mmCIF file of all heavy atoms in Angstrom:
data_model
loop_
_atom_site.group_PDB
_atom_site.id
_atom_site.type_symbol
_atom_site.label_atom_id
_atom_site.label_comp_id
_atom_site.label_asym_id
_atom_site.label_seq_id
_atom_site.Cartn_x
_atom_site.Cartn_y
_atom_site.Cartn_z
ATOM 1 N N ALA Q 139 17.922 5.702 -10.080
ATOM 2 C CA ALA Q 139 18.027 4.239 -10.072
ATOM 3 C C ALA Q 139 17.763 3.622 -11.435
ATOM 4 O O ALA Q 139 18.089 2.448 -11.661
ATOM 5 C CB ALA Q 139 17.049 3.666 -9.048
ATOM 6 N N LEU Q 140 17.185 4.390 -12.353
ATOM 7 C CA LEU Q 140 16.720 3.855 -13.629
ATOM 8 C C LEU Q 140 17.713 4.079 -14.763
ATOM 9 O O LEU Q 140 18.486 5.041 -14.747
ATOM 10 C CB LEU Q 140 15.393 4.517 -14.004
ATOM 11 C CG LEU Q 140 14.179 4.118 -13.156
ATOM 12 C CD1 LEU Q 140 13.043 5.105 -13.368
ATOM 13 C CD2 LEU Q 140 13.737 2.702 -13.503
ATOM 14 N N ARG Q 141 17.635 3.210 -15.756
ATOM 15 C CA ARG Q 141 18.416 3.418 -16.980
ATOM 16 C C ARG Q 141 17.879 4.655 -17.716
ATOM 17 O O ARG Q 141 16.712 5.020 -17.591
ATOM 18 C CB ARG Q 141 18.369 2.184 -17.864
ATOM 19 C CG ARG Q 141 16.987 1.734 -18.300
ATOM 20 C CD ARG Q 141 17.093 0.451 -19.117
ATOM 21 N NE ARG Q 141 15.780 -0.116 -19.416
ATOM 22 C CZ ARG Q 141 15.036 0.223 -20.468
ATOM 23 N NH1 ARG Q 141 15.478 1.139 -21.313
ATOM 24 N NH2 ARG Q 141 13.856 -0.328 -20.672
ATOM 25 N N HIS Q 142 18.740 5.260 -18.492
ATOM 26 C CA HIS Q 142 18.388 6.520 -19.156
ATOM 27 C C HIS Q 142 17.417 6.324 -20.313
ATOM 28 O O HIS Q 142 16.598 7.192 -20.595
ATOM 29 C CB HIS Q 142 19.656 7.214 -19.672
ATOM 30 C CG HIS Q 142 20.540 7.724 -18.588
ATOM 31 N ND1 HIS Q 142 20.451 8.995 -18.081
ATOM 32 C CD2 HIS Q 142 21.538 7.119 -17.890
ATOM 33 C CE1 HIS Q 142 21.352 9.173 -17.135
ATOM 34 N NE2 HIS Q 142 22.030 8.051 -16.995
ATOM 35 N N ASP Q 143 17.518 5.195 -21.008
ATOM 36 C CA ASP Q 143 16.718 4.996 -22.221
ATOM 37 C C ASP Q 143 15.439 4.218 -21.918
ATOM 38 O O ASP Q 143 15.350 3.018 -22.126
ATOM 39 C CB ASP Q 143 17.532 4.258 -23.286
ATOM 40 C CG ASP Q 143 18.109 2.944 -22.768
ATOM 41 O OD1 ASP Q 143 18.295 2.816 -21.540
ATOM 42 O OD2 ASP Q 143 18.339 2.031 -23.586
ATOM 43 N N GLY Q 144 14.463 4.905 -21.386
ATOM 44 C CA GLY Q 144 13.164 4.281 -21.177
ATOM 45 C C GLY Q 144 12.923 3.660 -19.818
ATOM 46 O O GLY Q 144 11.920 2.966 -19.630
ATOM 47 N N GLY Q 145 13.798 3.895 -18.858
ATOM 48 C CA GLY Q 145 13.532 3.407 -17.505
ATOM 49 C C GLY Q 145 12.258 4.019 -16.952
ATOM 50 O O GLY Q 145 12.021 5.222 -17.126
ATOM 51 N N SER Q 146 11.437 3.212 -16.284
ATOM 52 C CA SER Q 146 10.094 3.654 -15.890
ATOM 53 C C SER Q 146 9.865 3.537 -14.392
ATOM 54 O O SER Q 146 10.426 2.673 -13.716
ATOM 55 C CB SER Q 146 9.031 2.828 -16.623
ATOM 56 O OG SER Q 146 9.135 2.986 -18.018
ATOM 57 N N LEU Q 147 9.008 4.415 -13.911
ATOM 58 C CA LEU Q 147 8.545 4.407 -12.523
ATOM 59 C C LEU Q 147 7.075 4.041 -12.502
ATOM 60 O O LEU Q 147 6.274 4.617 -13.248
ATOM 61 C CB LEU Q 147 8.747 5.782 -11.887
ATOM 62 C CG LEU Q 147 8.113 6.031 -10.516
ATOM 63 C CD1 LEU Q 147 8.746 5.129 -9.454
ATOM 64 C CD2 LEU Q 147 8.238 7.505 -10.125
ATOM 65 N N ALA Q 148 6.709 3.083 -11.647
ATOM 66 C CA ALA Q 148 5.312 2.670 -11.484
ATOM 67 C C ALA Q 148 4.919 2.869 -10.028
ATOM 68 O O ALA Q 148 5.523 2.282 -9.128
ATOM 69 C CB ALA Q 148 5.132 1.206 -11.876
ATOM 70 N N ILE Q 149 3.910 3.711 -9.805
ATOM 71 C CA ILE Q 149 3.413 3.981 -8.450
ATOM 72 C C ILE Q 149 1.979 3.474 -8.369
ATOM 73 O O ILE Q 149 1.114 3.904 -9.140
ATOM 74 C CB ILE Q 149 3.443 5.488 -8.132
ATOM 75 C CG1 ILE Q 149 4.850 6.049 -8.284
ATOM 76 C CG2 ILE Q 149 2.912 5.747 -6.726
ATOM 77 C CD1 ILE Q 149 4.905 7.566 -8.181
ATOM 78 N N ILE Q 150 1.728 2.564 -7.436
ATOM 79 C CA ILE Q 150 0.363 2.081 -7.194
ATOM 80 C C ILE Q 150 -0.128 2.695 -5.893
ATOM 81 O O ILE Q 150 0.517 2.574 -4.841
ATOM 82 C CB ILE Q 150 0.295 0.546 -7.120
ATOM 83 C CG1 ILE Q 150 0.778 -0.067 -8.442
ATOM 84 C CG2 ILE Q 150 -1.132 0.086 -6.817
ATOM 85 C CD1 ILE Q 150 0.825 -1.586 -8.438
ATOM 86 N N THR Q 151 -1.266 3.366 -5.970
ATOM 87 C CA THR Q 151 -1.882 3.987 -4.809
ATOM 88 C C THR Q 151 -3.235 3.322 -4.559
ATOM 89 O O THR Q 151 -3.979 3.058 -5.505
ATOM 90 C CB THR Q 151 -2.089 5.492 -5.041
ATOM 91 O OG1 THR Q 151 -0.844 6.079 -5.433
ATOM 92 C CG2 THR Q 151 -2.592 6.190 -3.784
ATOM 93 N N THR Q 152 -3.526 3.045 -3.301
ATOM 94 C CA THR Q 152 -4.752 2.349 -2.940
ATOM 95 C C THR Q 152 -5.672 3.277 -2.158
ATOM 96 O O THR Q 152 -5.231 3.968 -1.232
ATOM 97 C CB THR Q 152 -4.447 1.107 -2.080
ATOM 98 O OG1 THR Q 152 -3.491 0.294 -2.755
ATOM 99 C CG2 THR Q 152 -5.701 0.287 -1.826
ATOM 100 N N HIS Q 153 -6.957 3.299 -2.536
ATOM 101 C CA HIS Q 153 -7.960 4.116 -1.855
ATOM 102 C C HIS Q 153 -9.141 3.229 -1.441
ATOM 103 O O HIS Q 153 -9.505 2.289 -2.161
ATOM 104 C CB HIS Q 153 -8.498 5.215 -2.772
ATOM 105 C CG HIS Q 153 -7.459 6.135 -3.321
ATOM 106 N ND1 HIS Q 153 -7.003 7.253 -2.640
ATOM 107 C CD2 HIS Q 153 -6.781 6.118 -4.499
ATOM 108 C CE1 HIS Q 153 -6.099 7.879 -3.367
ATOM 109 N NE2 HIS Q 153 -5.947 7.212 -4.500
ATOM 110 N N HIS Q 154 -9.754 3.562 -0.314
ATOM 111 C CA HIS Q 154 -11.040 2.965 0.082
ATOM 112 C C HIS Q 154 -12.118 3.916 -0.421
ATOM 113 O O HIS Q 154 -12.135 5.094 -0.048
ATOM 114 C CB HIS Q 154 -11.102 2.807 1.598
ATOM 115 C CG HIS Q 154 -12.387 2.259 2.105
ATOM 116 N ND1 HIS Q 154 -12.773 2.342 3.430
ATOM 117 C CD2 HIS Q 154 -13.385 1.589 1.479
ATOM 118 C CE1 HIS Q 154 -13.946 1.774 3.590
ATOM 119 N NE2 HIS Q 154 -14.340 1.309 2.414
ATOM 120 N N VAL Q 155 -13.007 3.406 -1.274
ATOM 121 C CA VAL Q 155 -13.982 4.280 -1.931
ATOM 122 C C VAL Q 155 -15.411 3.805 -1.679
ATOM 123 O O VAL Q 155 -15.649 2.707 -1.161
ATOM 124 C CB VAL Q 155 -13.714 4.361 -3.451
ATOM 125 C CG1 VAL Q 155 -12.356 4.990 -3.711
ATOM 126 C CG2 VAL Q 155 -13.802 2.981 -4.105
#
Side-chain angles (χ1 to χ4, degrees):
L140 289 164
R141 58 183 173 87
H142 291 268
D143 54 335
S146 299
L147 170 65
I149 303 172
I150 300 177
T151 307
T152 307
H153 303 274
H154 178 196
V155 297

